[in-house]
Amino acid sequence: MTRYMLSVHSVASDLQEPMPAEEMQHSWQEIQKIEAEMKSSGAWVFSGRLHDPDTATVVRMSDGEVLTTDGPFAESKEHLGGFYIINANDLDAALALASKVTRVIGSPIEVRPFADFAD
């Protein structure tokens, strides 16, 4: 098994009106079904949704000192909104799971293997 990160990307300019409550409930139910499928197959390791990028703090070294700055590491229209860590037999299996999630949430998903788990 290879471990993959499915990173969910959001684009600030693509933000839409909030979904009506009924549509949001349906979307949440669909995501729960996909996550249950991942768990029952042994693919699901961990997932998380992140707050908006303006809540980020960056920690870095500068001239031998540790500095912290508010905001995301890079100013960008796109940002990481959440992620799944999964186990999959191969890239095709990981892409199949990412396809199910992106159909429900409508956001692009980057699929990338972990270096220490890659074949």
Side-chain angles (χ1 to χ4, degrees), residues 5-75:
M5 179 169 155
L6 312 181
S7 51
V8 180
H9 293 269
S10 299
V11 179
S13 62
D14 288 349
L15 295 179
Q16 305 165 2
E17 292 292 318
M19 283 187 213
E22 186 175 300
E23 191 177 333
M24 179 65 84
Q25 181 67 22
H26 177 71
S27 178
W28 180 244
Q29 289 170 347
E30 292 300 307
I31 287 295
Q32 287 180 316
K33 287 179 190 175
I34 295 167
E35 289 179 359
E37 176 186 332
M38 287 184 197
K39 290 174 184 176
S40 69
S41 71
W44 190 85
V45 176
F46 181 77
S47 68
R49 182 174 177 230
L50 302 173
H51 284 283
D52 290 335
D54 62 351
T55 65
T57 302
V58 177
V59 180
R60 64 172 51 111
M61 292 295 296
S62 179
D63 296 324
E65 292 191 37
V66 176
L67 298 179
T68 60
T69 54
D70 292 336
F73 175 73
E75 293 296 326

Side-chain angles (χ1 to χ4, degrees), residues 1-4 6 34 37-38 41 43-44 86-101 111:
M1 286 263 180
T2 302
R3 188 159 288 170
Y4 290 89
L6 312 181
I34 295 167
E37 176 186 332
M38 287 184 197
S41 71
W44 190 85
I86 63 165
N87 290 315
N89 287 329
D90 54 29
L91 177 60
D92 289 338
L95 293 174
L97 290 172
S99 296
K100 290 180 180 186
V101 175
V111 177

